[in-house]
Amino acid sequence: MSNVQDGERVQGTEPKNTRHKIGIVAGDGIGNDVVAEGLKVIAATGVETELVHYDLGGERYLRDETILPDSVLEEWRALDALYFGAVGAPGVPPGVIERGLLLKMRFELDLYVNLRPFRLPEQNIDMFVVRENTEGTYAGEGGFLRKGTPYEVATQGSVNTRKGVERCIRFACELAQSRPARHLTLVHKTNVLTFAGDLWERSFNEVVSEYSELETAYNHVDAACIYFVENPQRYDVIVTDNLFGDILTDLGGAVSGGIGKAASANLNPDRTGPSMFEPVHGSAPDIAGQGIADPTAAILSAAMMLDFLGESEAAAAIQLACDSPEVANALNATTIETTAVGDAIAEAVKPPF
């Protein structure tokens, strides 16, 4: 295993047979706890990996102000995937890590699809949200005028390109077509956001016309929030912009078993660089190192990573293990033990599948 800090490689014991080269950023807080369990489960599947560890996140920034060196970003371009825990630490100014690490990575590696599944079999919830991941209000367009005065003005624009919108919608169409329900819903706010919404609606209508077997629908984002709470079973695949997707997917986690079970993928579907996989939850520094964080979201994110890397049997085995009675018992304990949940899932996925 190799360890990389600030672009300098520290050589360790290299695995004898390498298949997938994966960059690991455990990050801060419970990120370290849950990533350890995710790696345990990957190892239990028998999938061969080479792991390259990177010391990045809020704690690293507080030590020496390192966020994401260009040299590390270049190393990442040669990897097969990136596996993240969580980043963020008390004392780091808001936006520093978000823009300097997470958004920089999304933009530079063209991770233009944020894919988040939500499953709760006992309530018949089974849906995906496809969120455009590199444009919208997170693109950084805007600024201040007369900052710090009584006449201060702040603007924050939403950047939407035809190419960016269309490729995200096309990904969602392909995903919806592969599922039994074959249903795709566009979520936006076209009645108020008449420019960005118009581009999204026109692009949606034109792209879906190529997929004759799809059933489609449109919801305003405020209505979608209501439906997520009252009737999430109505959804199969949703496609939406960056900001609305960020909000909806946190709500989706809350209505499908909790944020501790919400996995995600930041995908480069064109595979011109590595895709990144991470749990939706934050670093939760107040419980870090106590062994009580639910690692399920991180483990399910690992399953998404393996599936994207072509290890579909291992990914399916992890998903089944997470639904097993043994894991349910570990999660229903009076106090969740991080390692106990990871052990139960790892035991359930041992090959042969």
Side-chain angles (χ1 to χ4, degrees):
M1 184 183 303
S2 299
N3 294 280
V4 176
Q5 298 184 0
D6 196 19
E8 295 182 0
R9 185 178 301 279
V10 180
Q11 295 296 338
T13 302
E14 300 290 340
K16 295 179 180 179
N17 298 303
T18 301
R19 178 177 294 178
H20 304 295
K21 191 172 184 179
I22 301 171
I24 309 297
V25 180
D28 305 306
I30 63 170
N32 294 278
D33 305 335
V34 299
V35 162
E37 301 309 308
L39 295 178
K40 178 194 297 180
V41 172
I42 292 173
T45 67
V47 171
E48 297 175 355
T49 61
E50 176 187 350
L51 306 181
V52 187
H53 290 257
Y54 295 86
D55 177 17
L56 297 170
E59 293 293 341
R60 178 66 189 276
Y61 174 79
L62 291 173
R63 291 201 307 272
D64 60 15
E65 297 190 349
T66 295
I67 305 177
L68 176 55
D70 289 340
S71 59
V72 172
L73 187 61
E74 286 305 308
E75 283 199 22
W76 285 358
R77 297 184 192 279
L79 299 177
D80 297 313
L82 291 159
Y83 184 42
F84 268 52
V87 292
V92 179
V96 169
I97 298 300
E98 292 85 352
R99 297 209 67 86
L101 175 57
L102 298 177
L103 293 185
K104 179 179 180 180
M105 173 182 54
R106 291 176 189 174
F107 298 153
E108 292 292 331
L109 299 178
D110 204 19
L111 307 179
Y112 64 84
V113 165
N114 184 276
L115 181 65
R116 299 190 180 182
F118 300 102
R119 292 179 66 256
L120 192 61
E122 57 268 34
Q123 293 188 21
N124 198 32
I125 297 173
D126 182 8
M127 62 177 172
F128 281 91
V129 175
V130 178
R131 164 190 169 192
E132 200 290 317
N133 210 30
T134 59
E135 297 187 348
T137 52
Y138 292 3
E141 191 277 330
F144 291 102
L145 179 64
R146 297 187 291 271
K147 186 176 182 180
T149 76
Y151 305 99
E152 181 172 348
V153 176
T155 63
Q156 193 80 61
S158 179
V159 178
N160 301 266
T161 68
R162 176 58 189 251
K163 177 181 178 181
V165 171
E166 183 175 309
R167 66 184 183 175
C168 182
I169 293 170
R170 191 170 299 280
F171 178 93
C173 287
E174 294 289 338
L175 175 61
Q177 186 161 267
S178 72
R179 290 167 56 80
R182 294 181 178 175
H183 191 279
L184 177 62
T185 302
L186 170 64
V187 171
H188 211 281
K189 190 68 175 172
T190 56
N191 59 334
V192 175
L193 303 178
T194 54
F195 302 119
D198 183 70
L199 174 58
W200 271 88
E201 188 170 44
R202 282 187 290 109
S203 300
F204 182 81
N205 291 336
E206 290 177 26
V207 174
V208 299
S209 68
E210 302 173 24
Y211 296 84
S212 59
E213 295 181 348
L214 287 184
E215 181 181 354
T216 62
Y218 170 80
N219 292 156
H220 289 324
V221 66
D222 43 354
C225 289
I226 295 172
Y227 297 146
F228 263 51
V229 174
E230 294 184 346
N231 183 26
Q233 297 82 2
R234 70 185 289 153
Y235 291 117
D236 181 31
V237 178
I238 291 170
V239 63
T240 189
D241 84 342
N242 209 338
L243 176 60
F244 296 149
D246 195 1
I247 295 167
L248 280 177
T249 51
D250 283 354
L251 182 57
V255 302
S256 60
I259 205 73
K261 294 177 176 58
S264 76
N266 295 267
L267 300 178
N268 177 335
D270 304 324
R271 300 179 188 264
T272 57
S275 294
M276 187 272 270
F277 303 81
E278 63 175 342
V280 172
H281 61 68
S283 60
D286 55 320
I287 61 169
Q290 297 180 33
I292 58 174
D294 184 352
T296 307
I299 293 170
L300 289 172
S301 299
M304 294 182 75
M305 178 173 67
L306 294 183
D307 188 57
F308 193 74
L309 292 173
E311 304 286 355
S312 56
E313 290 187 355
I318 293 174
Q319 180 68 70
L320 287 173
C322 289
D323 295 336
S324 69
E326 294 79 9
V327 174
N329 290 337
L331 289 170
N332 290 331
T334 303
T335 300
I336 291 177
E337 294 183 10
T338 307
T339 56
V341 176
D343 288 344
I345 296 173
E347 180 63 30
V349 300
K350 287 183 178 179
F353 305 122

